[in-house]
């Protein structure tokens, strides 16, 4: 049984589901609420009330505890255990002698109560209070969801996961940590940008779309291995492994990310004309960095800073095009997993040994 009509502007009136087995009491409450602008449905049993809950989705439930087929507390508990129904406020109808049941109903999640016999003005006032509170909660949830989704657009997935599982890992004090760092420098990007800036040159929109395809491959590949990519800066993208998600296998994950990404970019090149093919320069390094939230009250950014990132960034522009360059610190921990040869073409001012991945690697893309 349902009654009521839409108010001005097409918005529906608030819905109230009455779960009450006494037909006289249910009808009296129904008429009171309809007269005061509510849309009302009556369910005389717990089973019918549950069906109405799922199909009609009321804004408030008025629940009698003495139902013929189930205890009203069972209905309330089932509602509060259901993610789709638990936010619907429950107003308990109970006799003055059923204090123990009333206390139990409030304990398991009911929002309010009215004792029989009730004053109609009290019922209306409590329903209106529940509806106002529900609207505030819905507004807060919408606001919360909006900003949460906005943050997700800018926060890398591993940091997002750490914020949900262990927020202290992000918000705690910065610490020195050993990292594996993958640096990717995009050879030819500067020239393509200069060409796009000239009249009759490469369309800027085309370059933007294609480069985003490169970056999308890079970011997805890094995050698939638990790494965190940084935004593009001076033609170089850094990704670090072992913070905020720690693990002793971070060199393996960094190496696997580089190998998989190199192969995926080779496949991408087969789809692009030569002017849009960018040759990445890859560097893998292992070292220590200060990791934590950097900045001030107006802006904070979770990032590493120190030897690990600076060394990888400097070497990225010097690496051979299309090849993966390993520093000696990185090569020491993955030696035997991948064939590599000394980089004999290194500039003379680089005094530390460097290696270039060669042959068929043992570490392969995850299936």
């Amino acid at each position: 049984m349902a009654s009521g009509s839409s108010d001005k502007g097409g918005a529906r009136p608030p819905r109230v589901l009455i779960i009450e087995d006494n037909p006289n009491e249910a009808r009296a409450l129904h008429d009171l609420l309809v007269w005061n602008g509510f849309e009302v449905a009556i369910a005389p049993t717990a089973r019918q009330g549950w069906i109405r809950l799922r199909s009609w989705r009321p804004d408030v439930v008025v629940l009698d505890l003495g139902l013929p087929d189930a205890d009203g507390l069972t209905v309330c508990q089932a509602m509060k255990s259901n993610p789709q129904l638990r936010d619907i406020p429950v107003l308990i109808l109970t006799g003055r002698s059923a204090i123990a049941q009333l206390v139990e109903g409030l304990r398991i999640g009911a929002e309010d109560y009215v004792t029989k016999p009730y004053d109609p003005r009290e019922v209306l006032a409590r329903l209106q209070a529940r509806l106002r509170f529900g609207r505030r909660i819905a507004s807060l949830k919408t606001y919360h969801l909006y900003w949460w989704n906005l943050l997700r657009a800018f926060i890398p997935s591993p940091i997002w996961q750490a914020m949900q599982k262990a927020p202290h890992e992000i918000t705690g004090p910065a610490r020195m940590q050993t990292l594996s760092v993958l640096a990717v420098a995009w050879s030819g990007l500067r020239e393509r940008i200069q060409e796009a800036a000239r009249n009759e040159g490469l369309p800027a929109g085309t370059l933007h779309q294609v480069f985003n395809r490169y970056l999308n491959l890079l970011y997805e590949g890094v995050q698939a291995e638990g790494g965190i990519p940084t935004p593009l800066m001076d033609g170089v993208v850094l990704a670090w492994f072992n913070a905020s998600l720690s693990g002793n296998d971070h060199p393996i994950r960094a190496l696997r990310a580089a190998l998989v990404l190199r192969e995926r970019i080779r496949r991408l090149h087969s789809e692009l004309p030569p002017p849009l093919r960018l040759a990445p320069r890859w560097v893998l390094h292992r070292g220590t960095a200060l990791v934590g939230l950097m900045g001030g009250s107006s802006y904070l950014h979770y990032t590493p800073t120190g030897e690990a990132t600076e060394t990888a960034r400097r070497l990225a522009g010097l690496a051979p095009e299309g090849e993966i360059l390993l520093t000696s610190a990185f090569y020491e921990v993955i030696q035997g997993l991948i064939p590599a040869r000394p980089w004999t073409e290194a500039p003379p001012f680089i005094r530390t040994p460097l290696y270039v991945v060669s042959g068929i690697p043992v570490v392969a893309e995850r299936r």
Side-chain angles (χ1 to χ4, degrees):
M1 181 187 306
S3 302
S5 58
S6 298
D7 59 4
K8 293 180 180 180
R12 68 169 178 80
R15 289 177 171 176
V16 179
L17 173 61
I18 302 171
I19 306 179
E20 165 67 77
D21 65 318
N22 187 312
N24 293 328
E25 292 188 8
R27 170 54 64 181
L29 184 55
H30 170 274
D31 293 346
L32 171 67
L33 297 182
V34 170
W35 180 259
N36 285 274
F38 291 90
E39 185 178 352
V40 185
I42 296 176
T45 65
R47 181 176 180 277
Q48 292 180 36
W50 188 255
I51 294 172
R52 275 290 196 178
L53 272 169
R54 301 299 298 268
S55 62
W56 195 53
R57 300 305 298 270
D59 300 301
V60 183
V61 172
V62 178
L63 176 65
D64 182 43
L65 297 183
L67 298 172
D69 58 338
D71 188 345
L73 292 175
T74 304
V75 177
C76 182
Q77 190 167 29
M79 283 182 62
K80 298 308 175 182
S81 301
N82 188 306
Q84 297 178 339
L85 303 176
R86 62 188 174 200
D87 290 335
I88 300 175
V90 175
L91 184 69
I92 291 176
L93 282 179
T94 181
R96 295 187 185 277
S97 61
I99 299 301
Q101 283 185 305
L102 171 60
V103 171
E104 180 64 14
L106 294 174
R107 188 190 69 80
I108 63 178
E111 280 73 17
D112 209 343
Y113 69 95
V114 173
T115 56
K116 303 177 186 178
Y118 54 79
D119 185 322
R121 294 170 298 180
E122 180 186 6
V123 173
L124 292 173
R126 290 184 181 273
L127 282 176
Q128 293 291 359
R130 287 298 106 199
L131 288 169
R132 286 196 300 271
F133 186 75
R135 285 192 290 268
R136 293 193 190 104
I137 294 297
S139 177
L140 285 173
K141 285 187 173 182
T142 300
Y143 183 80
H144 179 268
L145 183 62
Y146 170 80
W147 284 105
W148 213 231
N149 288 334
L150 186 63
L151 285 173
R152 291 185 68 176
F154 295 96
I155 298 177
S157 178
I159 296 181
W160 179 259
Q161 295 171 17
M163 287 178 65
Q164 291 180 308
K165 296 179 181 178
H168 61 276
E169 289 289 330
I170 301 297
T171 59
R175 63 187 184 275
M176 296 301 299
Q177 186 147 346
T178 300
L179 302 177
S180 292
V181 181
L182 169 63
V184 183
W186 300 94
S187 179
L189 178 60
R190 181 175 300 178
E191 292 76 9
R192 302 295 195 281
I193 293 175
Q194 291 174 345
E195 183 181 351
R198 295 195 300 266
N199 291 332
E200 306 298 330
L202 179 68
T206 301
L207 178 60
H208 175 253
Q209 292 176 1
V210 169
F211 192 54
N212 273 346
R213 291 182 67 183
Y214 282 100
L215 292 177
N216 186 58
L217 285 177
L218 177 62
Y219 294 156
E220 286 185 348
V222 165
Q223 292 182 2
E225 295 296 341
I228 299 177
T230 65
L232 177 72
M233 183 178 295
D234 295 330
V236 178
V237 175
L238 291 179
W240 72 87
F241 300 77
N242 204 34
S244 57
L245 302 180
S246 302
N248 294 330
D249 64 338
H250 58 93
I252 304 299
R253 292 187 282 113
L255 176 60
R256 183 161 48 219
L259 293 169
V260 170
L261 286 167
R262 183 175 65 170
E263 180 58 32
R264 290 180 180 176
I265 288 177
R266 285 176 176 170
R267 296 175 195 166
L268 177 60
H269 283 176
S270 66
E271 304 173 15
L272 299 175
L276 294 175
R277 295 174 187 169
L278 301 176
R281 304 171 185 265
W282 312 83
V283 171
L284 284 166
H285 178 54
R286 182 175 180 272
T288 58
L290 182 67
V291 182
L293 286 170
M294 307 295 178
S297 58
S298 60
Y299 178 78
L300 285 171
H301 185 58
Y302 186 81
T303 187
T305 182
E307 180 273 336
T309 55
E310 293 305 312
T311 297
R313 186 184 296 276
R314 287 197 304 269
L315 290 174
L318 302 174
E321 289 187 359
E323 300 294 342
I324 299 175
L325 191 64
L326 313 176
T327 66
S328 56
F330 191 89
Y331 182 65
E332 286 174 3
V333 295
I334 56 89
Q335 191 172 3
L337 293 177
I338 187 169
R341 58 175 175 80
W343 189 34
T344 56
E345 300 83 5
F349 59 81
I350 299 179
R351 302 188 181 277
T352 183
L354 297 171
Y355 301 85
V356 176
V357 172
S358 60
I360 301 175
V362 176
V363 181
E365 182 174 358
R366 286 179 174 175
R367 298 296 178 187

